[in-house]
Amino acid sequence: MSSDIKTDAGPSAPAIKPKAVEQIELQVIEQTQSPADPSTPRNPERYSVYNRREKWFLVCLASLSALLSPLTANIYFPALPLLASEFHKSLELINLTVTGYMVFQGIAPAFWAPIADRYGRRLVFIMCLSTLCLSCIGLALTPTNAYWLLLLLRCFQAAGSASTVAISAGLIVDIAEPAERGGFLGLYIIGPTAGPTFGPVIGGALSGNLGWRSIFWFMCIFSGCVLIVIILVLPETLRSLVGDGSIPAPRFLRPIIRFGDHATGDNSRRPPRKEWANPARLFVNPDIVLVLVPTAIVSAVFYGVSTTISILFQKTYPFLSETDIGLCYVAIGGGCIPGSYVTGKLLDKAYKAAERDYEAKKAQNAPDQSQGNQTEKSPFEQKMDVDFPLERARLQMMPLNLAVFVACTIGYGWCLEAGVHLSVPLILSFFIGWTSIAVINMSQTLIMDLFPTQGSSITASNNLIRCTTGAVLVAVEQLVIDAVNPGWTFVIFGGLCVVTYPMILYEMIRGPQFRERRMKRLAEKAKREAEAQAVKDARNP
């Protein structure tokens, strides 16, 4: 960052370099930097006091915590027909417990993530996991004549578990500098991805042998054990509280067992506390909406397929037990793990190819620029290079994945209606899981690139729109199936995905223009604030 910026704020305004202005300038540069021109760390000194072994431990603990959200959601699916029988309710009403869970799964991170960014990761981890543990106890003890209580406690269960993914990602950003985040995120993603794979298997085995209440006792014990570990050893990592980890955290945020011996700094060096962030403000950006809407519909259809496995498979293949149905979920969940890994590799390859082309074009244009045609740019404008084809690099594989997803979804519905061999819908569900997670990963990677300093808010916004859309689809899904049968139901769902094709293409074409406008607005805002700060400093030397 340049340190000799001058701001014209009146006749007597001197050159300014106060910390407030430098922070404003740095914030804009971070948010407007070209992905092909990554910034160096803000502080040339160490990023974190934790050594590599300690970081791996914290990442593993974060991954285990993030596992709780998808595990809590998916372990419940095989028990849906059993719950309908036990509570003497229709499948439509039992599906409302899934809908309510998904609604709160979308809303909760928008509430918890800003708190974690302001008051600390450790505090919110404890609050979320305590809520999850207590709600599981209540669900396990729910009488079968209190359907309303089942619905209510499922909402509290979602509120406790859903935010662990966003908070865990924030923890990794706290301790890992950009150069090493890739490897840590690769391990971390195993937890959230394993939930859809093993959750239904565990749920089917427990409900088939020990009854549906055992599902919630299992989740109570599991989440309780994770909570105990966090209370004992998890240090506070929020950089606005502990800096690089050397500043002692407030007493009530310190672990019982000291994690290393790093908090030896001075509290006076504590960075300024972050301002309260509103994730909903990100929806005013057209390029964010163009990316999140297709992803939300694909995610909703994925949930629609997941919730129908226990219901439609039992109807089409009556010889399957609850345990067998739970094993059927391995196909759709198993597709997510290789899908996520392969997509990540392909995204890196596509990005590097785009970067090589970008650098080659810059080299070709270099002689023209050296002839005196290039005008001098301010530090803000130098960071607003929108020639790099970021949107195309991140989304170029999405149309193909979306086409495969739509084809497999439609085929899945007609296979179940025709009652073909069990292996066919299982194979199709495997590729549904693969392509859905690929679409989600591509969009998540792009929006993280677009807003590199707002990871928690972006994650919360993405989660909000995906879960609310999924909740609406799951709420009406059984009604549609009863009206037009599974085949045409999934034709309709596939058609909804096809409608989003133009949005993806439009984002790849017009995305750089949206990015440029946003960068200019940020730069102009920062300049105005810098000028105002210069006037204030001139009046109060």
Side-chain angles (χ1 to χ4, degrees):
M1 181 180 68
S2 176
S3 60
D4 57 353
I5 298 177
K6 296 183 180 182
T7 304
D8 295 330
S12 60
I16 58 168
K17 293 187 291 183
K19 289 186 178 180
V21 178
E22 291 184 356
Q23 290 174 358
I24 293 172
E25 178 184 299
L26 180 59
Q27 181 182 5
V28 175
I29 288 177
E30 286 180 342
Q31 294 187 5
T32 60
Q33 64 186 8
S34 168
D37 182 23
S39 61
T40 55
R42 182 181 306 185
N43 189 345
E45 301 176 358
R46 65 185 181 193
Y47 186 86
S48 174
V49 295
Y50 301 112
N51 59 42
R52 194 161 184 83
R53 180 178 299 179
E54 292 169 337
K55 289 180 181 179
W56 279 114
F57 173 80
L58 292 176
V59 171
C60 289
L61 185 56
S63 181
L64 185 63
S65 302
L67 168 64
L68 292 172
S69 177
L71 183 63
T72 304
N74 288 272
I75 199 173
Y76 184 74
F77 290 155
L80 292 178
L82 182 60
L83 286 167
S85 175
E86 291 285 332
F87 281 82
H88 306 289
K89 299 294 181 181
S90 65
L91 285 173
E92 290 86 352
L93 289 176
I94 294 299
N95 274 343
L96 285 180
T97 64
V98 178
T99 302
Y101 183 97
M102 294 176 67
V103 169
F104 276 79
Q105 190 180 35
I107 295 174
F111 171 76
W112 288 116
I115 297 177
D117 283 342
R118 185 172 175 83
Y119 297 106
R121 315 292 187 199
R122 175 179 167 83
L123 174 65
V124 178
F125 264 129
I126 294 175
M127 294 172 66
C128 287
L129 294 182
S130 298
T131 302
L132 173 60
C133 190
L134 292 174
S135 63
C136 288
I137 295 175
L139 285 163
L141 299 175
T142 299
T144 55
N145 62 350
Y147 165 77
W148 65 270
L149 185 58
L150 176 70
L151 181 60
L152 178 65
L153 290 176
R154 279 285 290 173
C155 295
F156 277 98
Q157 191 183 38
S161 66
S163 300
T164 55
V165 175
I167 302 169
S168 298
L171 183 148
I172 294 175
V173 174
D174 291 338
I175 65 173
E177 59 184 311
E180 59 183 354
R181 284 176 194 164
F184 289 140
L185 288 172
L187 173 64
Y188 157 76
I189 202 65
I190 293 177
T193 307
T197 305
F198 301 108
V201 179
I202 298 172
L206 290 174
S207 62
N209 295 282
L210 300 176
W212 63 271
R213 297 181 189 275
S214 62
I215 293 176
F216 301 114
W217 285 122
F218 172 83
M219 287 306 307
C220 173
I221 295 171
F222 188 10
S223 59
C225 291
V226 177
L227 175 61
I228 291 173
V229 174
I230 286 177
I231 292 174
L232 290 177
V233 301
L234 179 68
E236 180 55 60
T237 61
L238 182 64
R239 300 184 72 84
S240 61
L241 289 177
V242 298
D244 61 2
S246 62
I247 301 174
R251 186 170 299 276
F252 69 96
L253 292 178
R254 298 175 188 174
I256 296 176
I257 300 175
R258 178 174 293 182
F259 189 80
D261 192 16
H262 304 299
T264 57
D266 185 359
N267 284 330
S268 62
R269 298 191 298 109
R270 183 169 295 162
R273 179 170 290 179
K274 292 182 179 180
E275 295 183 359
W276 187 271
N278 181 9
R281 290 186 300 179
L282 293 168
F283 289 119
V284 302
N285 298 281
D287 48 348
I288 293 298
V289 175
L290 288 171
V291 173
L292 292 187
V293 170
T295 307
I297 294 177
V298 169
S299 179
V301 175
F302 171 81
Y303 268 108
V305 173
S306 298
T307 54
T308 58
I309 288 178
S310 60
I311 299 170
L312 295 180
F313 273 49
Q314 188 179 64
K315 181 179 179 180
T316 307
Y317 311 103
F319 55 87
L320 296 175
S321 65
E322 281 84 0
T323 303
D324 295 332
I325 291 175
L327 290 172
C328 290
Y329 278 88
V330 173
I332 190 168
C336 293
I337 296 177
S340 179
Y341 177 79
V342 172
T343 301
K345 292 291 185 181
L346 293 176
L347 280 172
D348 287 344
K349 185 177 180 180
Y351 185 91
K352 291 177 181 178
E355 193 173 27
R356 286 194 299 269
D357 293 341
Y358 174 77
E359 293 296 337
K361 289 181 180 179
K362 284 181 63 177
Q364 291 177 357
N365 295 332
D368 297 334
Q369 295 176 355
S370 62
Q371 294 175 3
N373 296 329
Q374 185 180 19
T375 59
E376 185 178 355
K377 294 183 178 181
S378 70
F380 300 104
E381 294 169 335
Q382 291 171 7
K383 292 294 182 178
M384 295 197 308
D385 188 356
V386 295
D387 295 333
F388 183 76
L390 173 63
E391 291 78 9
R392 186 173 295 277
R394 294 306 192 193
L395 300 180
Q396 63 183 358
M397 294 181 294
M398 188 178 287
L400 175 61
N401 279 274
L402 191 54
V404 176
F405 177 81
V406 170
C408 292
T409 299
I410 295 174
Y412 168 85
W414 284 112
C415 286
L416 288 176
E417 183 164 338
V420 300
H421 192 272
L422 177 63
S423 61
V424 180
L426 288 178
I427 293 173
L428 291 175
S429 63
F430 174 85
F431 286 104
I432 289 173
W434 181 305
T435 51
S436 64
I437 199 67
V439 170
I440 292 171
N441 281 3
M442 291 174 198
S443 63
Q444 180 68 22
T445 302
L446 175 60
I447 61 178
M448 291 292 287
D449 288 340
L450 294 175
F451 290 89
T453 61
Q454 302 182 52
S456 296
S457 296
I458 276 290
T459 304
S461 300
N462 193 7
N463 202 58
L464 176 62
I465 190 171
R466 287 197 300 113
C467 291
T468 50
T469 305
V472 172
L473 186 140
V474 171
V476 302
E477 180 180 43
Q478 192 60 44
L479 297 175
V480 179
I481 290 175
D482 293 341
V484 298
N485 296 324
W488 284 109
T489 297
F490 287 97
V491 168
I492 295 172
F493 291 168
L496 292 175
C497 297
V498 172
V499 172
T500 65
Y501 256 96
M503 300 180 70
I504 298 170
L505 298 177
Y506 190 73
E507 168 63 14
M508 286 194 286
I509 296 171
R510 294 292 301 276
Q513 297 179 27
F514 293 128
R515 187 157 33 110
E516 183 178 21
R517 293 173 190 169
R518 180 170 56 252
M519 292 173 179
K520 287 182 177 179
R521 289 196 303 268
L522 288 170
E524 290 172 358
K525 178 182 177 182
K527 288 180 180 179
R528 289 194 301 268
E529 293 179 0
E531 290 172 359
Q533 183 66 42
V535 173
K536 183 178 179 180
D537 291 346
R539 292 175 179 173
N540 302 296

